[in-house]
Amino acid sequence: KPAIAGGSPVRPTLLPYGRQMVDEADIAAVVEVLRSDWLTTGPKVDEFESALAQVAGTKYAVAVSSGTAALHAVMDALDVGTGDEIIVPTMTFAATANCAVYQGAIPIFADVDSKSLLMDVASVESKISPRTKAIVAVDYAGHPCDYDQLHALCQRHGLSLVADACHAIGGSYQDAPVGSLADLSTFSFHPVKHVTSGEGGAVSTNDFELAQRMREFRNHGITTDQRQRADNGEFYYEMTHLGYNYRMSDIQCGLGQSQLLKLTEFVARRQQIAARYDKAFALLTSVEPLVTAPDRQNAYHLYIIKLDLAALTTDRSGIYRALKAENIGINVHYLPVHLHPFYQERFKTGLGMCPVAENAYDRILSLPIFPAMTDADTDNVIEAVLKVVEYYRG
């Protein structure tokens, strides 16, 4: 009997769906910065950017204050402006589309593939118009998109390709690391992501001019920062275009640099947990995990299951509540962006625009997955899913 029906929960305390893993080396890295002369715009920013560029397989990385700031910086670097159209998948966090709106552009929502929930390339192509300026591909849940098809599409139509890789650092596509797969790739270092800096984000690219533009954009559009002027013995600076205060502090960069050293270990643990889930749910007809393509390494920011509601006597909300009662920190990622009230009111979006994503949304759940999870934690999740699904099996 499930806990929601009066039974005992599978665990006494809540297991969150995601959580940071910080050790003494991370704490020491932060303390080292706190004892230094620079808490922001200092040398740790350069060190972190160099380390991240190496992980991403690119020449440059630009650290900013969040994954959202990274997306905004990309739009500015590409000169996205009023009336431009930016194609984004609807199955993503709102920030992917918001970054276009910040620049006065119009987000155009593409549907997704039913098996992976990655953006459907045919849907993307059908949305291209003379006003389209860029495609933003989202590596949903940690699974890289089909970048061969996307690059070919962008080349045919003269478009820029952006990777929202905030879910996928440490993953790969045809042995090429995430971060090197598009013209510009964005990352997030929120505590539930693979590595954290508390808050923070970054953009990786091989284009020097774009990198320089983003460095100015994060600093109010000013051509030099405080440390550069101190090193050169200068006081004069100029603001050449409108920017924002999107700087990432040395404190955050110190933590992020320390965390990057553990990225391989963290991703491997996520993959181990995902493999245990895959095995446990392989024969469970009412639960379907997302499919990972064989030419890709999934970094598993999220582990998503889709429910076969026809085989159950309750809806997704009922399963959600039942798993919460078992102290499993279940979540949902995401309400398709075109269904948010802001987009329905401002851009006249609505039901029927992206039917695959809309159908999937009613059935998806995100299970806990993070490096600090033990095998016992993983077994608790599996037990809870099996227990709840069996109870509600039609």
Side-chain angles (χ1 to χ4, degrees):
K1 187 184 273 191
I4 200 168
S8 299
V10 298
R11 52 183 293 124
T13 58
L14 181 69
L15 179 71
Y17 89 90
R19 189 181 186 279
Q20 73 275 9
M21 186 173 180
V22 174
D23 62 17
E24 291 301 318
D26 298 322
I27 295 169
V30 171
V31 171
E32 178 187 353
V33 176
L34 290 172
R35 289 175 171 154
S36 74
D37 292 332
W38 292 94
L39 299 188
T40 192
T41 69
K44 277 295 175 186
V45 179
D46 293 342
E47 292 177 20
F48 176 65
E49 289 178 339
S50 295
L52 181 59
Q54 186 172 2
V55 167
T58 56
K59 294 179 182 178
Y60 312 106
V62 180
V64 291
S65 57
S66 67
T68 302
L71 287 161
H72 192 186
V74 163
M75 293 294 106
D76 177 80
L78 294 176
D79 287 322
V80 171
T82 302
D84 289 335
E85 292 180 352
I86 307 297
I87 299 176
V88 303
T90 192
M91 186 59 75
T92 185
F93 184 56
T96 310
N98 292 350
C99 68
V101 181
Y102 296 157
Q103 296 294 105
I106 302 166
I108 304 296
F109 296 103
D111 212 342
V112 295
D113 173 76
S114 62
K115 298 294 186 182
S116 66
L117 301 188
L118 297 178
M119 69 191 312
D120 181 274
V121 177
S123 177
V124 172
E125 188 159 23
S126 73
K127 307 285 183 177
I128 293 173
S129 81
R131 295 198 293 178
T132 305
K133 191 150 190 177
I135 295 170
V136 182
V138 174
D139 297 332
Y140 178 74
H143 183 194
C145 293
D146 189 331
Y147 284 96
D148 279 355
Q149 288 196 56
L150 289 168
H151 273 294
L153 189 60
C154 287
Q155 287 171 0
R156 285 200 302 272
H157 294 275
L159 307 176
S160 297
L161 180 58
V162 177
D164 181 339
C166 292
H167 289 187
I169 189 171
S172 65
Y173 173 81
Q174 298 179 1
D175 296 325
V178 164
S180 67
L181 304 174
D183 300 319
L184 301 120
S185 300
T186 64
F187 298 105
S188 168
F189 307 117
H190 184 276
V192 297
K193 297 301 198 303
H194 301 76
V195 295
T196 187
S197 56
E199 286 277 8
V203 184
S204 61
T205 184
N206 285 315
D207 190 308
F208 173 80
E209 291 184 2
L210 293 179
Q212 185 58 30
R213 169 117 179 164
M214 290 185 291
R215 288 193 174 100
E216 294 174 7
F217 183 75
R218 73 181 175 191
N219 189 38
H220 306 279
I222 293 171
T223 54
T224 59
D225 62 30
Q226 175 62 30
R227 185 165 67 94
Q228 290 169 324
R229 294 193 294 275
D231 289 345
N232 295 329
E234 298 173 349
F235 67 89
Y236 182 77
Y237 61 85
E238 294 177 330
M239 176 183 152
T240 57
H241 68 285
L242 182 64
Y244 292 76
N245 182 357
Y246 282 161
R247 295 187 300 264
M248 189 174 175
S249 73
D250 284 56
I251 301 168
Q252 294 168 300
C253 286
L255 175 56
Q257 186 179 1
S258 177
Q259 287 263 301
L260 276 178
L261 296 174
K262 297 180 276 282
L263 175 62
T264 300
E265 170 192 341
F266 286 172
V267 171
R269 180 57 185 157
R270 288 174 178 270
Q271 291 171 337
Q272 289 168 2
I273 295 167
R276 289 171 68 91
Y277 285 157
D278 285 345
K279 183 177 179 180
F281 304 141
L283 300 178
L284 195 60
T285 56
S286 51
V287 169
E288 179 188 353
L290 298 186
V291 172
T292 294
D295 61 348
R296 294 163 227 187
Q297 284 291 314
N298 194 329
Y300 286 107
H301 164 54
L302 302 172
Y303 187 93
I304 308 288
I305 58 172
K306 292 190 297 179
L307 302 170
D308 180 0
L309 296 179
L312 300 170
T313 60
T314 187
D315 59 10
R316 191 266 310 277
S317 294
I319 300 295
Y320 176 91
R321 289 192 295 270
L323 288 171
K324 280 282 192 179
E326 301 293 339
N327 281 321
I328 303 301
I330 211 79
N331 213 322
V332 175
H333 298 91
Y334 300 94
L335 174 67
V337 182
H338 74 282
L339 298 182
H340 282 292
F342 170 83
Y343 283 97
Q344 294 192 68
E345 294 167 11
R346 174 79 68 88
F347 296 101
K348 309 307 177 188
T349 60
L351 283 169
M353 288 183 60
C354 297
V356 177
E358 292 165 15
N359 177 269
Y361 169 68
D362 290 333
R363 300 189 292 131
I364 55 175
L365 289 169
S366 303
L367 303 186
I369 187 166
F370 54 95
M373 277 179 65
T374 65
D375 286 349
D377 292 330
T378 309
D379 290 342
N380 286 162
V381 177
I382 293 167
E383 179 186 352
V385 171
L386 296 177
K387 176 183 180 184
V388 166
V389 167
E390 176 64 21
Y391 182 79
Y392 287 107
R393 187 161 59 88

